[in-house]
């Protein structure tokens, strides 16, 4: 009898403790953050990625219930794999990832999902859709718009051009190339020099030096991002050939690509929104129990010397 009584008292104490614990957890979460998001960024060496993290932070700061833990993989795929594993071990509520490369990051993201942590993939896609949601602009469409713009300007002039490609093991690099070739179809514009500069300005500058040494006649450089076309411009400028060549890029950050067009360095740039703010909005929806779409496609704009002062033009 005595024993049963003690058991009963202990049991009710335990229930009380749990109830109390729950209430306490809820009240602390009302004051502090309720949800922890892990943000895995593939590198912060380029202005566009610094902007993406700033966009994530600015949006998250509007929601005191959110805490974002940022990790920078410094352009190292193995490091980014470890970051994903660390977020799983931490038990974050959701992970946002902008992966460096498609293939090697697919399995770690799948493992994160298997551990019950939803994942939003930003900008560069994986090989399978093993995530909750993908957010990014349509790189094939942007590449096609770039190709059509070039064909419009240069068709019929026997133009020879250079393509400085983004990392070919990342989806935007592949898509921006394929789209561009589609856009050039039917024109006589010919790509005479092509290199994978892995999104990096110093690589682009070095490759452009080789192209300039080999070809006296280059009409245009298509860089898969603005740092690539800017690197090419610097190489041409060093040889005083910048005025004979047109330069176009992708990203169109206001303080980078758009400013280059305004300053007469680039002839055109195509906007590639970071999607950082959208990712946080979508994460919140999901964490609050709403369902979200599998893919969100962001829009893009073209800024060239003719429309840059009026805010560019939407790409359809
Ligand atoms: C930055 C960047 C951007 C580019 C994007 C593609 O790392 O190279 O310039 O638009 O990645 O994923």
């Amino acid at each position: 009898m005595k024993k049963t009584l003690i058991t009963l008292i202990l049991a009710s104490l335990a229930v009380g403790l749990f109830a109390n614990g729950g209430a306490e957890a809820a009240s602390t979460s009302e004051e502090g953050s309720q949800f922890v998001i892990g943000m895995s960024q593939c590198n912060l060496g380029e202005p566009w990625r610094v902007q993406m993290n700033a966009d994530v932070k600015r949006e998250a700061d509007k929601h005191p219930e959110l805490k974002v833990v940022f990790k920078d993989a410094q352009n190292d795929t193995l490091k980014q794999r470890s970051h994903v594993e660390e977020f799983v071990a931490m038990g974050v509520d959701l992970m946002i990832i902008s992966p460096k490369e498609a293939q090697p990051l697919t399995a770690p993201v799948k493992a994160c999902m298997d551990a019950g942590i939803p994942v939003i993939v930003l900008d560069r896609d994986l090989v399978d859709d093993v995530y909750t949601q993908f957010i990014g602009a349509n790189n094939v469409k942007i590449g096609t718009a770039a190709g059509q713009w070039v064909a419009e300007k240069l068709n019929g002039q026997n133009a020879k051009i250079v393509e400085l490609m983004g990392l070919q093991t990342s989806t935007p690099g592949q898509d921006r190339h394929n789209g561009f070739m589609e856009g050039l179809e039917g024109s006589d514009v010919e790509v005479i020099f092509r290199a994978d500069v892995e999104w990096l300005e110093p690589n682009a500058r070095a490759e452009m030096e080789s192209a300039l040494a080999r070809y006296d006649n280059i009409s245009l450089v298509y860089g898969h991002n603005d740092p690539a076309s800017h690197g090419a411009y610097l190489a041409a400028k060093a040889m005083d050939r910048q005025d004979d060549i047109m330069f176009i890029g992708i990203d169109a950050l206001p303080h980078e690509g758009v400013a280059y067009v305004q300053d007469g360095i680039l002839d055109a740039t195509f906007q590639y929104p970071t999607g950082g703010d959208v990712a946080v909005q979508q994460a919140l929806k999901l964490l609050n129990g709403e369902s979200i779409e599998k893919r969100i496609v962001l829009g893009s704009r073209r800024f060239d010397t003719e429309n840059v002062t009026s805010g560019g033009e939407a790409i359809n």
Side-chain angles (χ1 to χ4, degrees):
M1 179 66 196
K2 226 177 171 185
K3 218 173 160 192
T4 327
L5 196 67
I6 292 171
T7 318
L8 268 176
I9 292 171
L10 280 178
S12 57
L13 263 178
V15 170
L17 265 181
F18 270 122
N20 200 21
E24 245 178 45
S27 68
T28 11
S29 62
E30 271 154 32
E31 290 152 21
S33 32
Q34 191 181 340
F35 300 120
V36 177
I37 296 180
M39 166 73 202
S40 168
Q41 181 58 272
C42 70
N43 78 76
L44 284 175
E46 295 147 86
W48 189 84
R49 300 212 167 262
V50 173
Q51 186 62 48
M52 184 196 279
N53 274 19
D55 291 342
V56 167
K57 186 174 181 311
R58 191 174 11 87
E59 192 62 28
D61 283 349
K62 295 181 193 162
H63 306 281
E65 72 274 29
L66 284 186
K67 177 177 187 254
V68 183
V69 179
F70 290 90
K71 286 182 191 284
D72 165 19
Q74 296 170 324
N75 225 12
D76 177 342
T77 292
L78 288 181
K79 196 173 271 178
Q80 195 165 26
R81 286 185 76 130
S82 316
H83 287 169
V84 174
E85 285 155 15
E86 282 162 31
F87 282 140
V88 175
M90 272 171 71
V92 294
D93 296 297
L94 181 143
M95 183 176 74
I96 300 174
I97 180 170
S98 193
K100 177 176 177 190
E101 291 173 291
Q103 205 280 331
L105 285 150
T106 300
V109 165
K110 184 172 184 306
C112 186
M113 291 284 286
D114 290 346
I117 299 171
V119 180
I120 296 179
V121 176
L122 255 182
D123 144 55
R124 298 186 185 171
D125 209 342
L126 300 174
V127 287
D128 288 318
D129 58 356
V130 291
Y131 38 70
T132 314
Q133 183 179 67
F134 174 82
I135 302 173
N138 184 336
N139 283 297
V140 176
K141 207 165 154 183
I142 293 174
T144 306
Q148 286 168 344
W149 189 89
V150 171
E152 217 173 274
K153 300 277 171 206
L154 298 178
N155 188 33
Q157 300 171 33
N158 199 19
K160 313 280 184 234
I161 70 168
V162 167
E163 181 182 11
L164 299 176
M165 302 190 293
L167 185 68
Q168 287 300 296
T169 48
S170 70
T171 53
Q174 299 157 2
D175 293 349
R176 289 177 194 184
H177 165 71
N178 292 333
F180 186 68
M181 296 317 288
E182 229 173 84
L184 284 186
E185 254 169 45
S187 78
D188 65 355
V189 175
E190 192 194 340
V191 181
I192 47 163
F193 185 98
R194 175 177 287 135
D196 184 344
V197 300
E198 301 176 354
W199 306 115
L200 302 174
E201 176 158 343
N203 292 358
R205 187 172 176 159
E207 289 292 351
M208 186 63 186
E209 279 164 9
S210 309
L212 289 162
R214 265 170 68 185
Y215 299 101
D216 291 332
N217 250 322
I218 297 171
S219 304
L220 179 141
V221 176
Y222 166 49
H224 282 199
N225 62 358
D226 291 332
S229 31
H230 187 247
Y233 171 86
L234 293 179
K237 189 164 189 274
M239 296 182 69
D240 203 21
R241 285 176 63 180
Q242 77 278 15
D243 292 340
D244 308 335
I245 304 171
M246 294 171 92
F247 298 88
I248 69 169
I250 295 172
D251 278 348
L253 288 178
H255 53 285
E256 195 193 32
V258 173
Y260 291 153
V261 175
Q262 279 158 350
D263 295 347
I265 292 173
L266 296 190
D267 295 89
T269 178
F270 296 77
Q271 185 200 21
Y272 189 57
T274 72
D277 48 349
V278 181
V280 172
Q281 290 155 8
Q282 292 293 310
L284 255 182
K285 261 183 138 181
L286 189 73
L287 290 168
N288 285 318
E290 286 179 54
S291 61
I292 60 174
E293 292 161 76
K294 189 80 193 181
R295 284 186 93 79
I296 292 198
V297 183
L298 305 171
S300 172
R301 300 180 79 72
R302 186 189 76 249
F303 296 86
D304 58 25
T305 43
E306 279 155 38
N307 69 20
V308 71
T309 46
S310 52
E313 262 166 64
I315 286 168
N316 303 301

